[in-house]
Amino acid sequence: MIRYISTRGRGEPRTAASAVIKGISEDKGLFVPETVPGLPFKPADMVGRKYKDVARAVIAAFFDDYTEEEIQSCVDGAYDNKFEAEDIVPVKEAGGVHFLELYHGRTAAFKDMALSILPYLMTTAVRKENEDKKIVILTATSGDTGKAALEGFADVEGTEIIVFYPSTGVSEVQKRQMTTQEGANTHVFGIRGNFDDAQTGVKKIFDDQAFNEELMAAGCRLSSANSINIGRLIPQVAYYVYGYIRLIGQGVIRDGDPVNIVVPTGNFGNILASYYASLMGIPVKKFICASNRNKILTDFINTGVYDTHREFHVTCSPSMDILISSNLERLIYHISGDSSKACALFMKDLKETGKYNITDQMREQLSDFVGGYATEEQTAEEIRMLYDKYGYVIDPHTAVASSVYRRYRAESGDFTPAVIDSTASPFKFEGSVMKALGRKTDLPDLELADQLSEVAGVSVPKAVSDLKDAPIMHDIVCDRKDMEKEVRKFLGI
Ligand SMILES: *Cc1c(COP(=O)(O)O)cnc(C)c1O
């Protein structure tokens, strides 16, 4: 059985189910699989198979303490007609590049790919591990995780779900999605600050031992729906494998040919999942890590120095407005030769000095990663160009990736077939998209959906059309220092 161990080496090794419940290790490290399983099939043999079949096999390979029936039932519960797309993940070609449309789930962003299955993996884990506590999911969001987690966990028995979002750092649609969330176990708070403030505040609550003991005494256990939870990361590996199979099916590549993978990156979860796909056996030539103006990852990949001492920018791709990319810790662990000792030291540096500097040997291990960023202008230009030339409308996050990729290709001459993650529906960021297309009117963001639908020639996703008349259920905005107080209040402790 694959054990899940802490990147910092001092936590107890666990089964997948136990790691899913815990979210984060007791030494504050993140869970990583001690060994990465190989592909459970030959990709060419899976051509024509459904998304669910691929997902089931990939997830089962990692989560081998779950029975086949358990994984099957999690996958069946997650990837059903909640997704407004035939076979869950369409692959669209535009300008010779393949866009993996990961945003057809209930909240119109790729977070649904993992967060529609996490509640099933979690409740199954609770049963398997005989956990008797109520699971309190505590989550910080840069905009999309929050809603996807709320949808996933709303009214799931034995759980409460709490989301903190930066009150002025998300799009209008994102905010409305969260504040209108239904479900008796859902709790949503705006905080005065940015995503890093929200994430730091949530981490602080996780780290507060006295508070956690009080919670346990009250019959509750904290867990996380952020991509630090291995139960979010592993389901994401599946769509990279699926994308590869689709490219074989479309005759773009033959089994065994390398591909480039381009990911608009924030917390480093999504791109890390592609790295795991490659460790499983999917041949990836370059992992192209695309950032917006908050280009800490670009600088890290190009210099080996991760330095948080910099200004934070609010951009039109808010889900990537992040300076502390939690999941990078997992990559650091792997490129240091699976050394938890080295990883723990870097994380200590980060905590104490706000930066760390990896070794030359580790930088060599990073050579398959390409870092690049797009300015706000380049992002808007990319949206306009793809629409003008190919009639294809993408959201600002995807546009960051597409822009970085096209410059990489021009500069390197590397024409390896590429997959770009399309991480959100353009309807989630309709103001920025309409503006980029030169069609900005004075209408508020939420009123632009019909116009965008006409321009793009695609229908408004339900996730957005349902919002206009939905009543506001959550309107609390608090200071970062009061986050724990708010949690106490409704848990009654
Ligand atoms: C969360 C998010 C990202 C960043 O993904 P990470 O896994 O945090 O790197 C990019 N685009 C969109 C639309 C997102 O919601």
Side-chain angles (χ1 to χ4, degrees), residues 108-111 142-145 174 227 232 236 263-272 297 317 319-320 322 325 327 395 397-398 422-425 428-429:
F110 89 97
K111 302 293 198 295
S142 57
D144 290 326
T145 290
Q174 287 178 315
S227 52
R232 254 193 72 182
Q236 292 183 236
V263 187
T265 301
N267 224 357
F268 211 78
N270 203 2
I271 194 165
L272 188 78
L297 288 166
S317 47
S319 304
M320 295 154 68
I322 293 176
S325 302
N327 273 294
D395 98 292
H397 302 76
T398 310
S422 192
T423 51
S425 159
K428 253 190 135 160
F429 304 93

PDB file of all heavy atoms in Angstrom, residues 108-111 142-145 174 227 232 236 263-272 297 317 319-320 322 325 327 395 397-398 422-425 428-429, ligand 1:
ATOM      1  N   ALA A 108     -17.977  26.625 -12.714  1.00  0.00           N
ATOM      2  CA  ALA A 108     -17.368  27.208 -13.916  1.00  0.00           C
ATOM      3  C   ALA A 108     -15.866  27.508 -13.790  1.00  0.00           C
ATOM      4  O   ALA A 108     -15.343  28.395 -14.450  1.00  0.00           O
ATOM      5  CB  ALA A 108     -18.121  28.458 -14.375  1.00  0.00           C
ATOM      6  N   ALA A 109     -15.180  26.769 -12.927  1.00  0.00           N
ATOM      7  CA  ALA A 109     -13.709  26.857 -12.885  1.00  0.00           C
ATOM      8  C   ALA A 109     -13.156  25.442 -12.697  1.00  0.00           C
ATOM      9  O   ALA A 109     -13.885  24.529 -12.296  1.00  0.00           O
ATOM     10  CB  ALA A 109     -13.242  27.754 -11.750  1.00  0.00           C
ATOM     11  N   PHE A 110     -11.872  25.282 -12.954  1.00  0.00           N
ATOM     12  CA  PHE A 110     -11.311  23.929 -12.914  1.00  0.00           C
ATOM     13  C   PHE A 110     -11.321  23.325 -11.517  1.00  0.00           C
ATOM     14  O   PHE A 110     -11.153  22.121 -11.350  1.00  0.00           O
ATOM     15  CB  PHE A 110      -9.879  23.927 -13.481  1.00  0.00           C
ATOM     16  CG  PHE A 110      -8.808  24.189 -12.467  1.00  0.00           C
ATOM     17  CD1 PHE A 110      -8.123  23.137 -11.873  1.00  0.00           C
ATOM     18  CD2 PHE A 110      -8.476  25.471 -12.096  1.00  0.00           C
ATOM     19  CE1 PHE A 110      -7.133  23.357 -10.928  1.00  0.00           C
ATOM     20  CE2 PHE A 110      -7.486  25.705 -11.156  1.00  0.00           C
ATOM     21  CZ  PHE A 110      -6.813  24.650 -10.559  1.00  0.00           C
ATOM     22  N   LYS A 111     -11.519  24.145 -10.494  1.00  0.00           N
ATOM     23  CA  LYS A 111     -11.530  23.626  -9.131  1.00  0.00           C
ATOM     24  C   LYS A 111     -12.600  22.539  -8.949  1.00  0.00           C
ATOM     25  O   LYS A 111     -12.474  21.674  -8.093  1.00  0.00           O
ATOM     26  CB  LYS A 111     -11.791  24.757  -8.131  1.00  0.00           C
ATOM     27  CG  LYS A 111     -10.808  25.921  -8.162  1.00  0.00           C
ATOM     28  CD  LYS A 111      -9.421  25.507  -7.714  1.00  0.00           C
ATOM     29  CE  LYS A 111      -8.544  26.688  -7.325  1.00  0.00           C
ATOM     30  NZ  LYS A 111      -8.226  27.588  -8.428  1.00  0.00           N
ATOM     31  N   SER A 142      -8.770  32.193  -3.294  1.00  0.00           N
ATOM     32  CA  SER A 142      -8.467  33.366  -4.107  1.00  0.00           C
ATOM     33  C   SER A 142      -9.630  33.596  -5.074  1.00  0.00           C
ATOM     34  O   SER A 142      -9.542  34.399  -5.979  1.00  0.00           O
ATOM     35  CB  SER A 142      -7.158  33.156  -4.866  1.00  0.00           C
ATOM     36  OG  SER A 142      -7.220  31.988  -5.667  1.00  0.00           O
ATOM     37  N   GLY A 143     -10.729  32.871  -4.888  1.00  0.00           N
ATOM     38  CA  GLY A 143     -11.930  33.134  -5.682  1.00  0.00           C
ATOM     39  C   GLY A 143     -12.676  31.901  -6.138  1.00  0.00           C
ATOM     40  O   GLY A 143     -13.898  31.838  -6.043  1.00  0.00           O
ATOM     41  N   ASP A 144     -11.954  30.910  -6.612  1.00  0.00           N
ATOM     42  CA  ASP A 144     -12.630  29.759  -7.212  1.00  0.00           C
ATOM     43  C   ASP A 144     -12.729  28.540  -6.297  1.00  0.00           C
ATOM     44  O   ASP A 144     -13.720  27.828  -6.308  1.00  0.00           O
ATOM     45  CB  ASP A 144     -11.931  29.359  -8.518  1.00  0.00           C
ATOM     46  CG  ASP A 144     -12.161  30.393  -9.614  1.00  0.00           C
ATOM     47  OD1 ASP A 144     -13.252  30.990  -9.643  1.00  0.00           O
ATOM     48  OD2 ASP A 144     -11.249  30.613 -10.427  1.00  0.00           O
ATOM     49  N   THR A 145     -11.706  28.312  -5.486  1.00  0.00           N
ATOM     50  CA  THR A 145     -11.763  27.177  -4.569  1.00  0.00           C
ATOM     51  C   THR A 145     -12.960  27.282  -3.640  1.00  0.00           C
ATOM     52  O   THR A 145     -13.659  26.308  -3.388  1.00  0.00           O
ATOM     53  CB  THR A 145     -10.478  27.101  -3.708  1.00  0.00           C
ATOM     54  OG1 THR A 145      -9.404  26.718  -4.541  1.00  0.00           O
ATOM     55  CG2 THR A 145     -10.608  26.097  -2.596  1.00  0.00           C
ATOM     56  N   GLN A 174     -17.450  35.817  -8.926  1.00  0.00           N
ATOM     57  CA  GLN A 174     -16.913  34.933  -7.882  1.00  0.00           C
ATOM     58  C   GLN A 174     -17.532  35.253  -6.524  1.00  0.00           C
ATOM     59  O   GLN A 174     -17.928  34.367  -5.770  1.00  0.00           O
ATOM     60  CB  GLN A 174     -15.393  35.093  -7.794  1.00  0.00           C
ATOM     61  CG  GLN A 174     -14.631  34.462  -8.956  1.00  0.00           C
ATOM     62  CD  GLN A 174     -13.134  34.698  -8.841  1.00  0.00           C
ATOM     63  OE1 GLN A 174     -12.694  35.822  -8.549  1.00  0.00           O
ATOM     64  NE2 GLN A 174     -12.345  33.677  -9.099  1.00  0.00           N
ATOM     65  N   SER A 227      -5.651  23.016  -1.958  1.00  0.00           N
ATOM     66  CA  SER A 227      -4.910  22.000  -2.705  1.00  0.00           C
ATOM     67  C   SER A 227      -3.746  21.443  -1.902  1.00  0.00           C
ATOM     68  O   SER A 227      -3.011  20.586  -2.378  1.00  0.00           O
ATOM     69  CB  SER A 227      -4.443  22.538  -4.049  1.00  0.00           C
ATOM     70  OG  SER A 227      -3.749  23.749  -3.884  1.00  0.00           O
ATOM     71  N   ARG A 232      -7.286  16.504  -3.097  1.00  0.00           N
ATOM     72  CA  ARG A 232      -7.571  17.413  -4.206  1.00  0.00           C
ATOM     73  C   ARG A 232      -6.568  17.237  -5.318  1.00  0.00           C
ATOM     74  O   ARG A 232      -6.887  17.351  -6.484  1.00  0.00           O
ATOM     75  CB  ARG A 232      -7.507  18.861  -3.723  1.00  0.00           C
ATOM     76  CG  ARG A 232      -8.882  19.432  -3.613  1.00  0.00           C
ATOM     77  CD  ARG A 232      -8.855  20.908  -3.444  1.00  0.00           C
ATOM     78  NE  ARG A 232      -8.465  21.624  -4.643  1.00  0.00           N
ATOM     79  CZ  ARG A 232      -8.350  22.934  -4.695  1.00  0.00           C
ATOM     80  NH1 ARG A 232      -8.601  23.648  -3.609  1.00  0.00           N
ATOM     81  NH2 ARG A 232      -7.993  23.537  -5.797  1.00  0.00           N
ATOM     82  N   GLN A 236      -6.698  15.606  -9.802  1.00  0.00           N
ATOM     83  CA  GLN A 236      -6.251  16.483 -10.879  1.00  0.00           C
ATOM     84  C   GLN A 236      -5.242  15.800 -11.811  1.00  0.00           C
ATOM     85  O   GLN A 236      -5.081  16.209 -12.944  1.00  0.00           O
ATOM     86  CB  GLN A 236      -5.639  17.762 -10.301  1.00  0.00           C
ATOM     87  CG  GLN A 236      -6.661  18.646  -9.613  1.00  0.00           C
ATOM     88  CD  GLN A 236      -6.053  19.945  -9.111  1.00  0.00           C
ATOM     89  OE1 GLN A 236      -6.146  20.263  -7.940  1.00  0.00           O
ATOM     90  NE2 GLN A 236      -5.420  20.675  -9.978  1.00  0.00           N
ATOM     91  N   VAL A 263       0.385  25.711 -17.756  1.00  0.00           N
ATOM     92  CA  VAL A 263      -0.561  25.855 -16.651  1.00  0.00           C
ATOM     93  C   VAL A 263      -0.531  27.271 -16.071  1.00  0.00           C
ATOM     94  O   VAL A 263       0.523  27.744 -15.635  1.00  0.00           O
ATOM     95  CB  VAL A 263      -0.226  24.854 -15.520  1.00  0.00           C
ATOM     96  CG1 VAL A 263      -1.302  24.888 -14.446  1.00  0.00           C
ATOM     97  CG2 VAL A 263      -0.063  23.444 -16.063  1.00  0.00           C
ATOM     98  N   PRO A 264      -1.686  27.941 -16.057  1.00  0.00           N
ATOM     99  CA  PRO A 264      -1.756  29.217 -15.346  1.00  0.00           C
ATOM    100  C   PRO A 264      -1.713  28.927 -13.854  1.00  0.00           C
ATOM    101  O   PRO A 264      -2.569  28.220 -13.330  1.00  0.00           O
ATOM    102  CB  PRO A 264      -3.099  29.799 -15.774  1.00  0.00           C
ATOM    103  CG  PRO A 264      -3.937  28.634 -16.187  1.00  0.00           C
ATOM    104  CD  PRO A 264      -2.988  27.553 -16.632  1.00  0.00           C
ATOM    105  N   THR A 265      -0.720  29.452 -13.173  1.00  0.00           N
ATOM    106  CA  THR A 265      -0.398  28.929 -11.847  1.00  0.00           C
ATOM    107  C   THR A 265      -0.549  29.961 -10.732  1.00  0.00           C
ATOM    108  O   THR A 265      -0.183  31.117 -10.896  1.00  0.00           O
ATOM    109  CB  THR A 265       1.053  28.388 -11.866  1.00  0.00           C
ATOM    110  OG1 THR A 265       1.134  27.376 -12.862  1.00  0.00           O
ATOM    111  CG2 THR A 265       1.445  27.795 -10.544  1.00  0.00           C
ATOM    112  N   GLY A 266      -1.073  29.480  -9.604  1.00  0.00           N
ATOM    113  CA  GLY A 266      -1.203  30.324  -8.418  1.00  0.00           C
ATOM    114  C   GLY A 266      -0.580  29.617  -7.236  1.00  0.00           C
ATOM    115  O   GLY A 266       0.544  29.886  -6.824  1.00  0.00           O
ATOM    116  N   ASN A 267      -1.341  28.668  -6.691  1.00  0.00           N
ATOM    117  CA  ASN A 267      -0.878  27.953  -5.508  1.00  0.00           C
ATOM    118  C   ASN A 267      -0.023  26.732  -5.864  1.00  0.00           C
ATOM    119  O   ASN A 267       0.353  25.964  -5.007  1.00  0.00           O
ATOM    120  CB  ASN A 267      -2.088  27.525  -4.669  1.00  0.00           C
ATOM    121  CG  ASN A 267      -1.879  27.775  -3.197  1.00  0.00           C
ATOM    122  OD1 ASN A 267      -0.804  28.214  -2.771  1.00  0.00           O
ATOM    123  ND2 ASN A 267      -2.881  27.497  -2.394  1.00  0.00           N
ATOM    124  N   PHE A 268       0.240  26.549  -7.152  1.00  0.00           N
ATOM    125  CA  PHE A 268       1.111  25.490  -7.665  1.00  0.00           C
ATOM    126  C   PHE A 268       0.502  24.090  -7.572  1.00  0.00           C
ATOM    127  O   PHE A 268       1.171  23.091  -7.749  1.00  0.00           O
ATOM    128  CB  PHE A 268       2.483  25.510  -6.965  1.00  0.00           C
ATOM    129  CG  PHE A 268       3.616  25.039  -7.845  1.00  0.00           C
ATOM    130  CD1 PHE A 268       4.159  25.878  -8.805  1.00  0.00           C
ATOM    131  CD2 PHE A 268       4.136  23.755  -7.732  1.00  0.00           C
ATOM    132  CE1 PHE A 268       5.205  25.450  -9.625  1.00  0.00           C
ATOM    133  CE2 PHE A 268       5.176  23.313  -8.552  1.00  0.00           C
ATOM    134  CZ  PHE A 268       5.708  24.168  -9.497  1.00  0.00           C
ATOM    135  N   GLY A 269      -0.813  24.009  -7.328  1.00  0.00           N
ATOM    136  CA  GLY A 269      -1.442  22.693  -7.231  1.00  0.00           C
ATOM    137  C   GLY A 269      -1.619  22.045  -8.593  1.00  0.00           C
ATOM    138  O   GLY A 269      -1.260  20.882  -8.808  1.00  0.00           O
ATOM    139  N   ASN A 270      -2.169  22.817  -9.506  1.00  0.00           N
ATOM    140  CA  ASN A 270      -2.514  22.279 -10.808  1.00  0.00           C
ATOM    141  C   ASN A 270      -1.271  21.813 -11.567  1.00  0.00           C
ATOM    142  O   ASN A 270      -1.243  20.721 -12.132  1.00  0.00           O
ATOM    143  CB  ASN A 270      -3.253  23.369 -11.589  1.00  0.00           C
ATOM    144  CG  ASN A 270      -4.115  22.806 -12.686  1.00  0.00           C
ATOM    145  OD1 ASN A 270      -4.212  21.595 -12.861  1.00  0.00           O
ATOM    146  ND2 ASN A 270      -4.724  23.693 -13.448  1.00  0.00           N
ATOM    147  N   ILE A 271      -0.237  22.628 -11.559  1.00  0.00           N
ATOM    148  CA  ILE A 271       0.967  22.247 -12.299  1.00  0.00           C
ATOM    149  C   ILE A 271       1.668  21.068 -11.612  1.00  0.00           C
ATOM    150  O   ILE A 271       2.241  20.200 -12.257  1.00  0.00           O
ATOM    151  CB  ILE A 271       1.913  23.453 -12.513  1.00  0.00           C
ATOM    152  CG1 ILE A 271       2.976  23.114 -13.559  1.00  0.00           C
ATOM    153  CG2 ILE A 271       2.548  23.911 -11.210  1.00  0.00           C
ATOM    154  CD1 ILE A 271       3.713  24.326 -14.103  1.00  0.00           C
ATOM    155  N   LEU A 272       1.575  21.015 -10.296  1.00  0.00           N
ATOM    156  CA  LEU A 272       2.164  19.882  -9.584  1.00  0.00           C
ATOM    157  C   LEU A 272       1.472  18.576  -9.980  1.00  0.00           C
ATOM    158  O   LEU A 272       2.115  17.529 -10.107  1.00  0.00           O
ATOM    159  CB  LEU A 272       2.057  20.093  -8.073  1.00  0.00           C
ATOM    160  CG  LEU A 272       2.825  19.058  -7.272  1.00  0.00           C
ATOM    161  CD1 LEU A 272       4.312  19.374  -7.288  1.00  0.00           C
ATOM    162  CD2 LEU A 272       2.326  18.998  -5.841  1.00  0.00           C
ATOM    163  N   LEU A 297       6.825  32.957  -9.055  1.00  0.00           N
ATOM    164  CA  LEU A 297       7.219  31.630  -9.553  1.00  0.00           C
ATOM    165  C   LEU A 297       8.108  31.737 -10.784  1.00  0.00           C
ATOM    166  O   LEU A 297       9.035  30.941 -10.961  1.00  0.00           O
ATOM    167  CB  LEU A 297       5.975  30.795  -9.867  1.00  0.00           C
ATOM    168  CG  LEU A 297       5.207  30.297  -8.632  1.00  0.00           C
ATOM    169  CD1 LEU A 297       3.827  29.779  -9.034  1.00  0.00           C
ATOM    170  CD2 LEU A 297       5.988  29.210  -7.897  1.00  0.00           C
ATOM    171  N   SER A 317      -6.652  38.385 -13.344  1.00  0.00           N
ATOM    172  CA  SER A 317      -6.664  36.924 -13.125  1.00  0.00           C
ATOM    173  C   SER A 317      -6.481  36.676 -11.628  1.00  0.00           C
ATOM    174  O   SER A 317      -5.441  36.173 -11.192  1.00  0.00           O
ATOM    175  CB  SER A 317      -5.571  36.239 -13.946  1.00  0.00           C
ATOM    176  OG  SER A 317      -4.326  36.906 -13.821  1.00  0.00           O
ATOM    177  N   SER A 319      -7.438  34.639  -9.369  1.00  0.00           N
ATOM    178  CA  SER A 319      -7.186  33.335  -8.752  1.00  0.00           C
ATOM    179  C   SER A 319      -5.705  32.975  -8.777  1.00  0.00           C
ATOM    180  O   SER A 319      -5.294  31.945  -8.253  1.00  0.00           O
ATOM    181  CB  SER A 319      -7.998  32.244  -9.450  1.00  0.00           C
ATOM    182  OG  SER A 319      -9.358  32.589  -9.415  1.00  0.00           O
ATOM    183  N   MET A 320      -4.906  33.831  -9.422  1.00  0.00           N
ATOM    184  CA  MET A 320      -3.462  33.627  -9.435  1.00  0.00           C
ATOM    185  C   MET A 320      -2.734  34.746  -8.698  1.00  0.00           C
ATOM    186  O   MET A 320      -1.513  34.850  -8.792  1.00  0.00           O
ATOM    187  CB  MET A 320      -2.963  33.572 -10.880  1.00  0.00           C
ATOM    188  CG  MET A 320      -3.506  32.386 -11.641  1.00  0.00           C
ATOM    189  SD  MET A 320      -3.554  32.693 -13.408  1.00  0.00           S
ATOM    190  CE  MET A 320      -1.817  32.751 -13.767  1.00  0.00           C
ATOM    191  N   ILE A 322      -1.212  35.434  -5.942  1.00  0.00           N
ATOM    192  CA  ILE A 322      -0.713  34.678  -4.794  1.00  0.00           C
ATOM    193  C   ILE A 322       0.799  34.851  -4.725  1.00  0.00           C
ATOM    194  O   ILE A 322       1.483  34.779  -5.745  1.00  0.00           O
ATOM    195  CB  ILE A 322      -1.049  33.172  -4.981  1.00  0.00           C
ATOM    196  CG1 ILE A 322      -2.567  32.954  -4.926  1.00  0.00           C
ATOM    197  CG2 ILE A 322      -0.343  32.304  -3.953  1.00  0.00           C
ATOM    198  CD1 ILE A 322      -2.998  31.521  -5.194  1.00  0.00           C
ATOM    199  N   SER A 325       2.976  30.166  -2.690  1.00  0.00           N
ATOM    200  CA  SER A 325       2.388  29.034  -3.396  1.00  0.00           C
ATOM    201  C   SER A 325       2.619  27.772  -2.583  1.00  0.00           C
ATOM    202  O   SER A 325       3.692  27.166  -2.633  1.00  0.00           O
ATOM    203  CB  SER A 325       3.040  28.891  -4.767  1.00  0.00           C
ATOM    204  OG  SER A 325       2.874  30.083  -5.499  1.00  0.00           O
ATOM    205  N   ASN A 327       1.814  24.641  -2.628  1.00  0.00           N
ATOM    206  CA  ASN A 327       2.205  23.337  -3.175  1.00  0.00           C
ATOM    207  C   ASN A 327       3.621  23.266  -3.701  1.00  0.00           C
ATOM    208  O   ASN A 327       4.113  22.185  -3.993  1.00  0.00           O
ATOM    209  CB  ASN A 327       1.248  22.937  -4.291  1.00  0.00           C
ATOM    210  CG  ASN A 327       0.051  22.227  -3.730  1.00  0.00           C
ATOM    211  OD1 ASN A 327       0.176  21.135  -3.184  1.00  0.00           O
ATOM    212  ND2 ASN A 327      -1.097  22.860  -3.829  1.00  0.00           N
ATOM    213  N   ASP A 395     -10.817  32.876 -20.807  1.00  0.00           N
ATOM    214  CA  ASP A 395     -10.852  33.732 -19.622  1.00  0.00           C
ATOM    215  C   ASP A 395      -9.445  34.298 -19.363  1.00  0.00           C
ATOM    216  O   ASP A 395      -8.469  33.832 -19.968  1.00  0.00           O
ATOM    217  CB  ASP A 395     -11.362  32.934 -18.409  1.00  0.00           C
ATOM    218  CG  ASP A 395     -10.218  32.433 -17.559  1.00  0.00           C
ATOM    219  OD1 ASP A 395      -9.470  31.556 -18.035  1.00  0.00           O
ATOM    220  OD2 ASP A 395     -10.028  32.963 -16.448  1.00  0.00           O
ATOM    221  N   HIS A 397      -7.282  33.966 -16.928  1.00  0.00           N
ATOM    222  CA  HIS A 397      -6.268  33.044 -16.408  1.00  0.00           C
ATOM    223  C   HIS A 397      -5.686  32.201 -17.542  1.00  0.00           C
ATOM    224  O   HIS A 397      -4.471  32.043 -17.680  1.00  0.00           O
ATOM    225  CB  HIS A 397      -6.873  32.121 -15.334  1.00  0.00           C
ATOM    226  CG  HIS A 397      -7.455  32.867 -14.190  1.00  0.00           C
ATOM    227  ND1 HIS A 397      -8.669  33.506 -14.280  1.00  0.00           N
ATOM    228  CD2 HIS A 397      -7.003  33.100 -12.942  1.00  0.00           C
ATOM    229  CE1 HIS A 397      -8.926  34.089 -13.126  1.00  0.00           C
ATOM    230  NE2 HIS A 397      -7.932  33.865 -12.293  1.00  0.00           N
ATOM    231  N   THR A 398      -6.589  31.679 -18.350  1.00  0.00           N
ATOM    232  CA  THR A 398      -6.165  30.885 -19.506  1.00  0.00           C
ATOM    233  C   THR A 398      -5.348  31.756 -20.461  1.00  0.00           C
ATOM    234  O   THR A 398      -4.380  31.290 -21.070  1.00  0.00           O
ATOM    235  CB  THR A 398      -7.408  30.318 -20.218  1.00  0.00           C
ATOM    236  OG1 THR A 398      -8.240  29.702 -19.233  1.00  0.00           O
ATOM    237  CG2 THR A 398      -7.036  29.302 -21.277  1.00  0.00           C
ATOM    238  N   SER A 422      -7.267  25.237 -19.613  1.00  0.00           N
ATOM    239  CA  SER A 422      -8.232  26.328 -19.623  1.00  0.00           C
ATOM    240  C   SER A 422      -8.970  26.239 -18.293  1.00  0.00           C
ATOM    241  O   SER A 422      -9.769  25.340 -18.078  1.00  0.00           O
ATOM    242  CB  SER A 422      -9.175  26.128 -20.810  1.00  0.00           C
ATOM    243  OG  SER A 422      -9.932  27.270 -21.010  1.00  0.00           O
ATOM    244  N   THR A 423      -8.638  27.160 -17.385  1.00  0.00           N
ATOM    245  CA  THR A 423      -9.020  26.933 -15.985  1.00  0.00           C
ATOM    246  C   THR A 423     -10.330  27.570 -15.553  1.00  0.00           C
ATOM    247  O   THR A 423     -10.846  27.244 -14.496  1.00  0.00           O
ATOM    248  CB  THR A 423      -7.904  27.400 -15.029  1.00  0.00           C
ATOM    249  OG1 THR A 423      -7.537  28.733 -15.373  1.00  0.00           O
ATOM    250  CG2 THR A 423      -6.689  26.494 -15.107  1.00  0.00           C
ATOM    251  N   ALA A 424     -10.846  28.506 -16.343  1.00  0.00           N
ATOM    252  CA  ALA A 424     -12.130  29.090 -15.940  1.00  0.00           C
ATOM    253  C   ALA A 424     -12.938  29.470 -17.165  1.00  0.00           C
ATOM    254  O   ALA A 424     -12.387  29.756 -18.232  1.00  0.00           O
ATOM    255  CB  ALA A 424     -11.922  30.323 -15.063  1.00  0.00           C
ATOM    256  N   SER A 425     -14.232  29.491 -16.979  1.00  0.00           N
ATOM    257  CA  SER A 425     -15.124  29.965 -18.036  1.00  0.00           C
ATOM    258  C   SER A 425     -14.955  31.473 -18.170  1.00  0.00           C
ATOM    259  O   SER A 425     -14.862  32.182 -17.164  1.00  0.00           O
ATOM    260  CB  SER A 425     -16.568  29.645 -17.655  1.00  0.00           C
ATOM    261  OG  SER A 425     -17.443  30.487 -18.371  1.00  0.00           O
ATOM    262  N   LYS A 428     -17.025  33.834 -15.992  1.00  0.00           N
ATOM    263  CA  LYS A 428     -16.727  34.142 -14.590  1.00  0.00           C
ATOM    264  C   LYS A 428     -16.024  35.477 -14.466  1.00  0.00           C
ATOM    265  O   LYS A 428     -15.969  36.058 -13.387  1.00  0.00           O
ATOM    266  CB  LYS A 428     -15.831  33.040 -13.998  1.00  0.00           C
ATOM    267  CG  LYS A 428     -16.582  32.156 -13.049  1.00  0.00           C
ATOM    268  CD  LYS A 428     -15.713  31.221 -12.279  1.00  0.00           C
ATOM    269  CE  LYS A 428     -16.148  31.255 -10.823  1.00  0.00           C
ATOM    270  NZ  LYS A 428     -15.714  30.077 -10.085  1.00  0.00           N
ATOM    271  N   PHE A 429     -15.455  35.927 -15.576  1.00  0.00           N
ATOM    272  CA  PHE A 429     -14.690  37.184 -15.558  1.00  0.00           C
ATOM    273  C   PHE A 429     -15.166  38.051 -16.718  1.00  0.00           C
ATOM    274  O   PHE A 429     -14.385  38.581 -17.494  1.00  0.00           O
ATOM    275  CB  PHE A 429     -13.186  36.876 -15.647  1.00  0.00           C
ATOM    276  CG  PHE A 429     -12.743  35.946 -14.563  1.00  0.00           C
ATOM    277  CD1 PHE A 429     -12.712  34.573 -14.766  1.00  0.00           C
ATOM    278  CD2 PHE A 429     -12.439  36.435 -13.298  1.00  0.00           C
ATOM    279  CE1 PHE A 429     -12.359  33.702 -13.753  1.00  0.00           C
ATOM    280  CE2 PHE A 429     -12.093  35.575 -12.271  1.00  0.00           C
ATOM    281  CZ  PHE A 429     -12.051  34.208 -12.499  1.00  0.00           C
TER     282      PHE A 429
HETATM  283  C1  LIG B   1      -7.055  28.307  -8.749  1.00  0.00           C
HETATM  284  C2  LIG B   1      -6.941  28.814 -10.118  1.00  0.00           C
HETATM  285  C3  LIG B   1      -5.711  28.876 -10.783  1.00  0.00           C
HETATM  286  C4  LIG B   1      -4.413  28.513 -10.104  1.00  0.00           C
HETATM  287  O1  LIG B   1      -4.349  27.132  -9.837  1.00  0.00           O
HETATM  288  P1  LIG B   1      -3.286  26.597  -8.748  1.00  0.00           P
HETATM  289  O2  LIG B   1      -3.591  25.150  -8.620  1.00  0.00           O
HETATM  290  O3  LIG B   1      -3.590  27.355  -7.496  1.00  0.00           O
HETATM  291  O4  LIG B   1      -1.931  26.889  -9.267  1.00  0.00           O
HETATM  292  C5  LIG B   1      -5.693  29.302 -12.094  1.00  0.00           C
HETATM  293  N1  LIG B   1      -6.838  29.669 -12.724  1.00  0.00           N
HETATM  294  C6  LIG B   1      -8.026  29.624 -12.117  1.00  0.00           C
HETATM  295  C7  LIG B   1      -9.228  30.062 -12.869  1.00  0.00           C
HETATM  296  C8  LIG B   1      -8.136  29.188 -10.811  1.00  0.00           C
HETATM  297  O5  LIG B   1      -9.332  29.150 -10.205  1.00  0.00           O
END
